[in-house]
Amino acid sequence: MKEILQFGFVNIEDEKVYSVKLSEEQKEQFGFNKKETSVLDYYDSYLDDAKLKDFLSNEFTKKIDETFPKEIKALCTYCNGNSKNEEDKKCNSYHLEGRVNEFLAVWWFVNIVEQNKSILYEKTALKDLSIKLYECFLFKNGRVAFDLRKITMYCLNQGFLTLSKIFAQNDKIKNLEIINRAIDELDTEYLRIKMFENDSPYHIKPQKDFFKNKRKFYKEQIKIEKLSKSNYKNEQVVKEYKNEIWFLLGCMFAFGKMEKYYYVNDKGNTVFKEGFNPPKVAKDLGNKRYDKFILATINNYPISNTNGNKNIFNSREKMQKIISYCESLNVEVIPYFKKRLPEEEI
């Protein structure tokens, strides 16, 4: 994509501009009276301000006059009073060339906007962009060029702002689908420009960067939402048994808090340390109701035992709930506890 757009006469100072008056029939034949919407009509609708349009057009004309070469003006027979024929005006060809470049710039601008429909929904922003169009003209020695890169970046920036608003109202998964498709289309366009136009697609990178950043953002948001839902679900489940003795005591075993009361002997059996027994440990933990659960768990009562249901290590389901809760809090579960997890029944 070229960065500067410019139409120009080869020997502009020698060109003469002649006015041609056409009949209504001729105008019709040339298509000047057709009712189709032109790019200028589109631009006028973007600007939506006739007085502002006239002001911008007049400023455009002034810039050509202000930068018009003095040495060429000095040789102008019309300006020196040696001719009354306006066709002898040296500046006429400069103004004509300038207006052609103005039209080409408007055509380019309208095409950018119409290809990025989201911009059309932001009326105020679109009007500001239409004014910025005239900031992108370059005037030198009475001649006009147009900075394509500048207006393209203006449009891209507004497009990013508009898309961000639209994305904020959409479903995140849907946004990711749109973003992935957009990146794929940009990759295709990049290859086409490089292969067939041998040009620099400078407008591709900022768009890809925008979409990649948005993709990363929405992926992270989805992760956070999933984690939040998981934590909420876990909290709801924990509320159901957070006051249950097996859960409270089981967490203390999992955290390693109970290690002060027992040790594992050479035979692999869990044994109370000297000076401790179930009632004493329960009292030390501040809840006498822990007594039978401590006894059953430390002594590893089998399920067939009368108090076998109080042995935390007999229930894979209960132990998994305890482990899941610890993991949700990022608390490491000691190896001793994990080793006691019963095998899953097939």
Side-chain angles (χ1 to χ4, degrees):
M1 182 184 289
K2 295 178 181 177
E3 296 191 18
I4 301 297
L5 180 71
Q6 186 175 35
F7 162 85
F9 293 116
V10 177
N11 299 309
I12 189 169
E13 62 277 358
D14 296 326
E15 295 288 345
K16 280 196 174 184
V17 178
Y18 301 96
S19 60
V20 178
K21 292 184 178 180
L22 301 176
S23 66
E24 292 302 313
E25 185 178 349
Q26 289 171 322
K27 289 179 182 178
E28 189 71 39
Q29 289 177 343
F30 281 111
F32 295 145
N33 285 346
K34 287 186 178 179
K35 295 181 180 179
E36 285 89 352
T37 305
S38 70
V39 290
L40 296 176
D41 294 325
Y42 278 107
Y43 178 75
D44 289 348
S45 67
Y46 300 162
L47 200 57
D48 194 27
D49 190 328
K51 288 184 178 179
L52 180 57
K53 174 66 191 306
D54 289 340
F55 172 78
L56 293 172
S57 184
N58 290 336
E59 288 299 307
F60 184 88
T61 300
K62 284 181 184 178
K63 283 293 182 183
I64 294 175
D65 288 333
E66 287 173 4
T67 59
F68 187 75
K70 292 180 181 179
E71 61 275 15
I72 294 177
K73 189 173 184 178
L75 298 173
C76 180
T77 56
Y78 183 88
C79 293
N80 290 331
N82 296 324
S83 172
K84 292 184 179 181
N85 188 352
E86 289 203 4
E87 292 171 1
D88 290 331
K89 275 187 175 181
K90 290 284 186 182
C91 62
N92 275 349
S93 55
Y94 286 82
H95 282 291
L96 175 61
E97 183 186 87
R99 289 302 173 186
V100 171
N101 282 302
E102 181 186 25
F103 174 80
L104 290 174
V106 170
W107 180 88
W108 186 270
F109 176 68
V110 169
N111 273 273
I112 292 176
V113 172
E114 292 300 317
Q115 288 175 26
N116 296 272
K117 295 290 186 181
S118 59
I119 300 177
L120 293 170
Y121 300 114
E122 298 283 339
K123 296 298 182 183
T124 302
L126 182 56
K127 183 174 182 176
D128 290 341
L129 269 181
S130 300
I131 295 171
K132 286 182 180 294
L133 172 72
Y134 277 83
E135 294 179 12
C136 299
F137 284 108
L138 308 170
F139 299 88
K140 185 177 181 181
N141 296 328
R143 310 192 79 169
V144 181
F146 183 69
D147 192 334
L148 287 176
R149 185 187 185 95
K150 192 173 183 180
I151 194 61
T152 300
M153 292 306 168
Y154 277 149
C155 290
L156 285 179
N157 182 61
Q158 182 54 51
F160 296 156
L161 293 174
T162 305
L163 281 173
S164 293
K165 290 181 182 179
I166 294 172
F167 283 155
Q169 298 170 1
N170 286 350
D171 174 76
K172 294 177 182 62
I173 299 296
K174 184 66 177 177
N175 285 343
L176 286 175
E177 291 176 359
I178 294 170
I179 289 167
N180 286 337
R181 189 163 56 249
I183 291 174
D184 182 62
E185 290 172 356
L186 287 169
D187 286 337
T188 302
E189 185 180 355
Y190 178 87
L191 288 174
R192 180 186 62 77
I193 293 173
K194 293 294 287 184
M195 290 174 66
F196 300 107
E197 298 182 18
N198 194 27
D199 215 334
S200 176
Y202 58 82
H203 62 298
I204 300 292
K205 187 179 184 303
Q207 292 183 78
K208 284 190 68 174
D209 288 345
F210 169 80
F211 285 119
K212 284 182 177 180
N213 287 334
K214 284 294 180 184
R215 182 168 63 183
K216 182 179 179 182
F217 170 76
Y218 286 118
K219 282 184 175 180
E220 289 299 319
Q221 285 295 102
I222 289 170
K223 283 182 183 178
I224 291 170
E225 286 180 2
K226 283 183 177 178
L227 181 61
S228 179
K229 287 179 182 178
S230 175
N231 286 343
Y232 175 76
K233 185 177 180 181
N234 192 48
E235 286 173 9
Q236 293 302 106
V237 173
V238 169
K239 282 180 181 179
E240 296 176 9
Y241 45 75
K242 68 177 183 179
N243 293 321
E244 296 285 339
I245 293 174
W246 65 265
F247 179 72
L248 296 172
L249 188 64
C251 285
M252 285 187 272
F253 270 104
F255 293 169
K257 185 175 181 179
M258 299 297 291
E259 289 181 312
K260 64 185 285 189
Y261 305 116
Y262 70 83
Y263 68 94
V264 179
N265 63 20
D266 295 338
K267 296 180 180 181
N269 298 322
T270 304
V271 182
F272 283 105
K273 288 182 179 179
E274 187 177 350
F276 290 111
N277 56 45
K280 190 169 183 179
V281 173
K283 184 178 179 180
D284 192 45
L285 294 174
N287 191 334
K288 293 180 180 180
R289 294 169 62 204
Y290 290 163
D291 187 343
K292 291 183 180 180
F293 284 86
I294 294 170
L295 177 65
T297 303
I298 294 292
N299 290 335
N300 198 26
Y301 284 171
I303 295 175
S304 58
N305 187 283
T306 307
N307 287 316
N309 65 326
K310 292 181 173 61
N311 178 3
I312 297 166
F313 299 134
N314 280 338
S315 174
R316 178 181 176 84
E317 181 185 356
K318 288 179 180 179
M319 288 187 69
Q320 284 183 319
K321 287 179 179 178
I322 293 167
I323 291 171
S324 294
Y325 179 67
C326 292
E327 289 176 347
S328 72
L329 298 177
N330 291 321
V331 174
E332 187 176 354
V333 177
I334 63 173
Y336 167 82
F337 191 84
K338 288 184 177 180
K339 285 181 182 179
R340 304 297 296 273
L341 183 68
E343 292 184 4
E344 189 172 6
E345 294 182 5
I346 300 175

